[in-house]
Amino acid sequence: MEKILVTGGAGFIGSNFIYYMLNAHNDVSITCLDALTYAGSIHTLEPLIESGDPAFRFVKGDITDRDFVMKIFREETFDTVVNFAAESHVDRSIDTPEVFLKTNIIGTQVLLDAFNKYGIKRFHQVSTDEVYGDLPLEATDEFFTEETPLHTSSPYSASKASADLLVMAYARTYGTPVTISRCSNNYGPYQFPEKLIPLMISNVLNGKKVPVYGDGLNVRDWLYVEDHCRAIDLIIHKGAIGEVYNIGGHNERHNIDVVKTVLAALNESEDAIEYVTDRPGHDRRYAIDASKIEAALGWVPETPFDEGIARTVDWYLNNRSWWENIRSGNYQNDFARLFPDA
């Protein structure tokens, strides 16, 4: 039985990874460590908690709390750590950078120290393509590779780049067995409603306008979250120690085109679009070259964009209570409901 610690597992990608791993493998058990900050919803993991599945355990805690983290590592003999825990919303990082620096850098350092102390086999850091900065809109033949210099644009991306550098420094200084993945924009079930696609869906269903930054021509590479989870599974089991792997969806789209695709899937008029003032330092284009992971591990994205959008829209339509619970703020009471004795 492989024992995996997943930090940030009540968030969007982390929760999808937990469900994916438990469905894909009969020989894994997962401990989820999450602080349940504003972007983490225990309601997302409620089916697992209520099922009493012995292969899953939830622990509420902050990765920056050194004593608490050491206690978790001391109690469990983990084989693998997958670190999703991070503050990730760019706008919030512009308003409150310190929170991002503490969680994304100090939290990673605490995990690495505990990892080294207890001799675990693999530490995987989940990063982002935003550490590379951006590419010119017109340079359609340019892509981010694993060798692209780090060139950050926001406190969020700077904190993630710093964490990546720290992970690689631990590998070099202490021989820590690490891997890093840098993904493009994810979408799919359980994404927090402040992000572009779920924000659009929930706004339309609530009869509100859909905000689009600036001219809407910023380009992102979109990756369906299940494809991302499958890539991480491959990396932690077959990836080479000390390597960085880019994970991209081969789905470059202008933001405005993504908005129009979602509106069409909802049978909503484009009159719902409202252009708003652009965010400071807004990167123009992200584009991932994922040829390394494709060649080394045989991974390719399997979900075409239109299919992924259709599946995502259907999920939000069929799980309205999940995102309404978040938008109302009631989700912050879910932990006390599910763990009354905690």
Side-chain angles (χ1 to χ4, degrees):
M1 181 71 71
E2 179 185 13
K3 301 181 73 173
I4 304 173
L5 174 66
V6 176
T7 66
F12 165 43
I13 307 176
S15 62
N16 274 278
F17 180 74
I18 289 172
Y19 282 117
Y20 173 84
M21 291 297 288
L22 291 176
N23 286 330
H25 300 280
N26 295 321
D27 58 348
V28 302
S29 67
I30 292 178
T31 297
C32 172
L33 173 61
D34 199 295
L36 296 180
T37 59
Y38 82 93
S41 173
I42 193 65
H43 184 44
T44 301
L45 299 169
E46 187 169 350
L48 277 175
I49 295 167
E50 292 195 332
S51 73
D53 188 341
F56 177 76
R57 175 192 180 202
F58 179 83
V59 179
K60 184 179 180 181
D62 191 331
I63 62 170
T64 67
D65 184 338
R66 179 173 292 272
D67 290 341
F68 185 81
V69 169
M70 289 294 177
K71 178 175 180 290
I72 296 298
F73 276 74
R74 187 168 59 250
E75 290 176 349
E76 297 275 1
T77 307
F78 298 114
D79 299 294
T80 306
V81 174
V82 183
N83 182 28
F84 291 95
E87 298 286 347
S88 65
H89 195 246
V90 175
D91 289 351
R92 289 177 182 265
S93 80
I94 294 170
D95 294 334
T96 56
E98 184 177 354
V99 176
F100 286 70
L101 303 183
K102 181 179 180 183
T103 298
N104 298 357
I105 304 173
I106 300 302
T108 300
Q109 184 235 334
V110 170
L111 289 172
L112 286 165
D113 286 346
F115 182 97
N116 282 346
K117 181 174 182 178
Y118 290 98
I120 299 166
K121 297 175 184 176
R122 174 69 65 97
F123 184 97
H124 183 72
Q125 174 74 2
V126 180
S127 188
T128 169
D129 60 357
E130 294 193 41
V131 300
Y132 297 125
D134 65 352
L135 297 165
L137 284 178
E138 65 276 7
T140 56
D141 60 343
E142 293 184 24
F143 299 88
F144 297 136
T145 74
E146 291 82 359
E147 305 303 319
T148 299
L150 305 187
H151 186 68
T152 60
S153 303
S154 68
Y156 161 62
S157 58
S159 68
K160 291 298 288 184
S162 299
D164 286 3
L165 292 171
L166 189 63
V167 168
M168 297 309 290
Y170 268 62
R172 184 166 182 174
T173 301
Y174 305 108
T176 309
V178 305
T179 45
I180 297 174
S181 58
R182 294 175 180 150
C183 67
S184 56
N185 280 41
N186 279 220
Y187 68 102
Y190 298 117
Q191 189 168 26
F192 201 75
E194 69 185 358
K195 299 290 188 174
L196 178 64
I197 289 176
L199 176 65
M200 286 188 289
I201 297 171
S202 59
N203 274 16
V204 167
L205 295 178
N206 284 330
K208 297 181 179 180
K209 290 286 189 179
V210 174
V212 175
Y213 276 131
D215 58 13
L217 296 180
N218 305 68
V219 172
R220 299 293 182 264
D221 176 24
W222 292 91
L223 175 67
Y224 192 64
V225 66
E226 185 175 297
D227 287 334
H228 185 192
C229 295
R230 185 166 45 82
I232 294 174
D233 184 12
L234 280 170
I235 293 169
I236 64 176
H237 291 113
K238 297 182 179 179
I241 294 294
E243 292 296 321
V244 176
Y245 295 93
N246 283 349
I247 307 171
H250 298 317
N251 281 311
E252 283 189 61
R253 297 287 192 282
H254 292 286
N255 284 352
I256 189 62
D257 294 331
V258 174
V259 172
K260 291 177 179 179
T261 300
V262 173
L263 291 176
L266 291 165
N267 297 313
E268 179 68 24
S269 167
E270 293 177 11
D271 292 339
I273 296 171
E274 179 180 46
Y275 291 92
V276 298
T277 303
D278 208 354
R279 76 156 66 109
H282 197 178
D283 290 332
R284 291 299 274 172
R285 175 174 171 257
Y286 300 154
I288 282 281
D289 178 349
S291 59
K292 178 177 177 177
I293 190 173
E294 292 170 4
L297 303 181
W299 176 90
V300 292
E302 295 179 352
T303 310
F305 185 70
D306 288 343
E307 177 186 328
I309 286 294
R311 290 164 64 181
T312 301
V313 169
D314 284 347
W315 188 89
Y316 281 91
L317 288 172
N318 293 323
N319 292 273
R320 186 161 184 156
S321 62
W322 180 85
W323 57 264
E324 284 184 336
N325 189 39
I326 290 176
R327 291 192 65 148
S328 70
N330 291 333
Y331 74 104
Q332 294 179 322
N333 300 320
D334 285 339
F335 181 77
R337 174 175 61 83
L338 290 170
F339 296 93
D341 298 326

